Amino acid sequence: MPSSTRASVAVGRKLETRPLLVVFGATGDLMRRKLLPALYGLSVDGHLPAGSVILGAARSTDYQDASYRSWAALGLKQFSPFHPDAIDPWCDATLFYQPVRDGAADDYRALAERIAALEKEHQLDGNRVLYLALPFEAFAPTIQGLGEAGLGHGPGWTRIVIEKPFGRDLDSAKSLNQLVHQYFDEPSIYRIDHYLGKETVQNLLVLRFANVLFESLWSRDRVSKVEITVAEDLGLEGRAGYYDRAGALRDMVQNHLTQLLSLVAMEVPAAYDAEAIRNEKVKVLRSIAPVRPEQAVFGQYEAGTIDGASVPGYHQEQGVPGSSVTETFVALQLRIENWRWQGVPFYLRTGKRLAQRVTQVVVNFHRPPVTFFKDLDPEDVHSNELVITLQPNEGFDLVFEVKPPGEAMATRTERMRFRYAEQFGNLPDAYQTLLLDVLEGDATLFVRADEVEASWQLFAELLAHPPAPKGYPAGSWGPSAADQLLQPNEEPWSRP
Ligand code: BG6
């Protein structure tokens, strides 16, 4: 992507400090595809001051500073090819590597010494970010290793960033919270969910709370159902080892979809700050009864065709055991038992290898209570919809009925569209936004301890008694059984 088409995070945000960032999982996919490009982008845009240090930490002993820089530069040229001439000098000046082998106490002691040495050599201020870009099993031993090596505190501030999924279930999330609180205070813990860094997800707050028009319709009085879809056409992208142990419920529903749900459904916060917003998000999650297995449909993709190309089924993917019952699709219905939403079904749906990539919130409004037009059946008048497209083609559509000119009385469904790209060009990257927030100490877009536990609680029954996954062809919209979650008089699942 040429630099002219790249969007930057907010102008004017410049750090007063030169921090040291340690990334665990430094040789992994997330680092190469997302974190390095985001950190490089922040540097190029002047948000991360020159002279800051990034120390990659991973088990591998195959790398040293020089070979790690070459690996990182190759990745940057592939995933972030703007200002290509600046990539090698940036890697040489900024990146370092430290093996943590099998995570013994000595390895963490050596890491602590390396951090201190780098801070001294580069005359840094002692402010540190510890970023755990690791699979969930590795969080606890890493947190413990860091804490025991005295890295929970440093000469300046220390912030720890923990990727999702935060645990495997409610019990493991609680244990992880207890463990991390032994070494870090809650305000220094940043549980990351990259969906919260997407501009369009943040815009849900503006759409709702800066527009009287929508907020005044946002309740059971006017809304008949809400549908939240995060559909992917991609498959595993070489991540079978992680994905087959996680599945769609842990990988997507408990975090990304639940975050979207809480932003769509929460009450108006008292202020735009981390505590007020997160209080409201927790409140809404606590108003939902845990989802029962009969309220959900699980699926697993089979061979099929996407965009004219044949793709293998889940069982044929490299690294997936032939007997795997891991779900690659989840659709579920839930109810929010509060004054605003009582009686309104919320439907959540996500899957891999679906017909197309789209993340959408569709708010369906009630049909008119009586048919006033004498020649029309009630079914001829469709319900209004607000379709909020979070990616791609970001924007929203208001779907409404019009009378086609010249005809006898009839209705036709039309759309009024707003598209971000037409007004604003490209949108900034979510990881850049969130990394800058961590560096600035703003936790508004991160998940609090009680919030992560409340979201696991919602799916506790489902995780304990998962429905058997039903097959669906790659390139479809998931198993047809998902239709049975809908009530007989409801509009079908939206097809973007
Ligand atoms: C990640 C999941 O958190 O989100 C992936 O682990 C998924 O499985 C990805 O593909 C989707 O993110 P985005 O930003 O491409 O919608």
Side-chain angles (χ1 to χ4, degrees):
M1 187 177 8
S3 57
S4 57
T5 63
R6 218 184 108 255
S8 170
V9 288
V11 284
R13 294 176 69 181
K14 189 166 187 322
L15 283 183
E16 297 301 323
T17 180
R18 284 186 300 125
L20 180 138
L21 294 97
V22 188
V23 182
F24 296 84
T27 55
D29 208 46
L30 182 64
M31 180 64 161
R32 207 158 60 107
R33 283 172 190 261
K34 300 284 184 191
L35 300 180
L36 273 171
L39 290 164
Y40 175 63
L42 287 175
S43 294
V44 168
D45 294 338
H47 297 300
L48 184 62
S52 304
V53 168
I54 298 167
L55 176 61
R59 295 169 73 109
S60 171
T61 48
D62 294 346
Y63 293 100
Q64 278 135 15
D65 291 347
S67 49
Y68 185 63
R69 287 170 189 153
S70 310
W71 174 86
L74 263 180
L76 278 174
K77 286 169 193 165
Q78 184 183 354
F79 293 108
S80 185
F82 55 91
H83 298 308
D85 297 344
I87 289 179
D88 287 306
W90 182 80
C91 290
D92 289 346
T94 317
L95 295 181
F96 299 83
Y97 183 78
Q98 175 73 21
V100 284
R101 297 182 178 83
D102 53 0
D106 279 351
D107 298 322
Y108 283 99
R109 264 196 295 278
L111 176 72
E113 283 163 18
R114 184 82 198 276
I115 291 173
L118 283 168
E119 284 179 339
K120 192 161 171 220
E121 187 185 329
H122 294 262
Q123 298 176 339
L124 304 182
D125 315 316
N127 294 325
R128 299 171 182 170
V129 174
L130 309 171
Y131 195 123
L132 274 49
L134 295 169
F136 47 77
E137 300 90 338
F139 292 153
T142 309
I143 292 166
Q144 185 136 24
L146 288 169
E148 293 302 315
L151 287 167
H153 300 278
W157 49 252
T158 298
R159 296 177 187 144
I160 184 165
V161 185
I162 307 176
E163 266 293 337
K164 49 120 309 231
F166 187 87
R168 273 192 70 74
D169 51 22
L170 180 58
D171 287 345
S172 56
K174 281 184 175 167
S175 312
L176 205 51
N177 272 334
Q178 275 169 12
L179 179 71
V180 71
H181 286 150
Q182 279 179 34
Y183 304 109
F184 299 85
D185 301 334
E186 180 61 25
S188 62
I189 304 168
Y190 291 72
R191 295 174 195 78
I192 195 165
D193 182 316
H194 79 278
Y195 267 54
L196 289 175
K198 291 180 189 275
E199 281 289 328
T200 47
V201 174
Q202 294 174 61
N203 188 53
L204 283 172
L205 295 178
V206 174
L207 181 86
R208 287 195 53 198
F209 303 131
N211 293 292
V212 170
L213 182 64
F214 298 121
E215 189 53 20
S216 58
L217 302 175
W218 219 253
S219 74
R220 64 198 299 272
D221 294 338
R222 294 285 177 250
V223 174
S224 59
K225 70 166 180 169
V226 177
E227 208 182 289
I228 301 176
T229 297
V230 181
E232 296 186 275
D233 53 354
L234 291 178
L236 298 190
E237 300 292 284
R239 294 161 74 225
Y242 153 74
Y243 192 87
D244 196 59
R245 283 173 296 122
L249 190 66
R250 291 185 175 92
D251 185 49
M252 299 294 286
V253 179
Q254 178 273 336
N255 31 74
H256 303 326
L257 280 96
T258 305
Q259 285 297 328
L260 295 179
L261 167 71
S262 52
L263 292 175
V264 168
M266 72 183 189
E267 295 299 319
V268 189
Y272 188 83
D273 67 39
E275 291 322 307
I277 291 180
R278 297 187 299 180
N279 287 345
E280 293 307 332
K281 285 164 70 189
V282 173
K283 245 169 66 189
V284 82
L285 295 181
R286 290 199 178 137
S287 311
I288 304 172
V291 180
R292 295 189 314 275
E294 59 273 24
Q295 288 171 272
V297 169
F298 280 13
Q300 191 185 68
Y301 63 83
E302 294 166 348
T305 309
I306 297 184
D307 279 342
S310 304
V311 296
Y314 185 69
H315 280 165
Q316 285 80 54
E317 298 278 11
Q318 204 179 0
V320 173
S323 56
S324 172
V325 288
T326 297
E327 78 287 0
T328 62
F329 173 96
V330 175
L332 57 86
Q333 192 222 64
L334 49 81
R335 303 256 175 188
I336 304 177
E337 294 300 331
N338 64 15
W339 279 50
R340 187 188 281 264
W341 294 119
Q342 202 285 327
V344 179
F346 281 70
Y347 294 97
L348 272 49
R349 175 177 58 159
T350 187
K352 296 230 180 257
R353 290 290 193 217
L354 296 181
Q356 73 184 72
R357 174 176 183 251
V358 66
T359 298
Q360 258 183 0
V361 177
V362 180
V363 181
N364 272 89
F365 294 94
H366 290 301
R367 290 197 170 146
V370 289
T371 312
F372 151 84
F373 305 103
K374 62 180 175 354
D375 294 337
L376 297 184
D377 287 335
E379 298 79 57
D380 293 335
V381 181
H382 296 108
S383 67
N384 297 134
E385 284 174 14
L386 178 63
V387 182
I388 307 166
T389 305
L390 304 167
Q391 62 183 26
N393 302 323
E394 293 83 356
F396 54 84
D397 295 29
L398 196 54
V399 181
F400 57 96
E401 300 291 277
V402 292
K403 177 184 175 297
E407 294 183 19
M409 184 49 74
T411 59
R412 198 163 79 193
T413 306
E414 289 293 338
R415 303 169 89 89
M416 222 155 71
R417 289 172 207 271
F418 165 80
R419 287 292 171 272
Y420 262 84
E422 289 162 17
Q423 298 302 323
F424 303 112
N426 283 347
L427 297 174
D429 170 69
Y431 273 100
Q432 267 196 37
T433 304
L434 294 174
L435 277 163
L436 191 53
D437 283 354
V438 172
L439 291 165
E440 290 180 334
D442 181 354
T444 310
L445 300 177
F446 294 82
V447 185
R448 210 168 56 186
D450 52 347
E451 190 180 350
V452 81
E453 289 181 15
S455 62
W456 279 118
Q457 169 93 56
L458 272 187
F459 304 110
E461 275 192 45
L462 209 46
L463 286 165
H465 307 285
K470 305 211 183 308
Y472 64 95
S476 69
W477 283 100
S480 52
D483 296 343
Q484 283 145 31
L485 292 173
L486 303 172
Q487 282 157 20
N489 56 347
E490 272 176 2
E491 305 275 345
W493 288 99
S494 61
R495 295 274 188 270

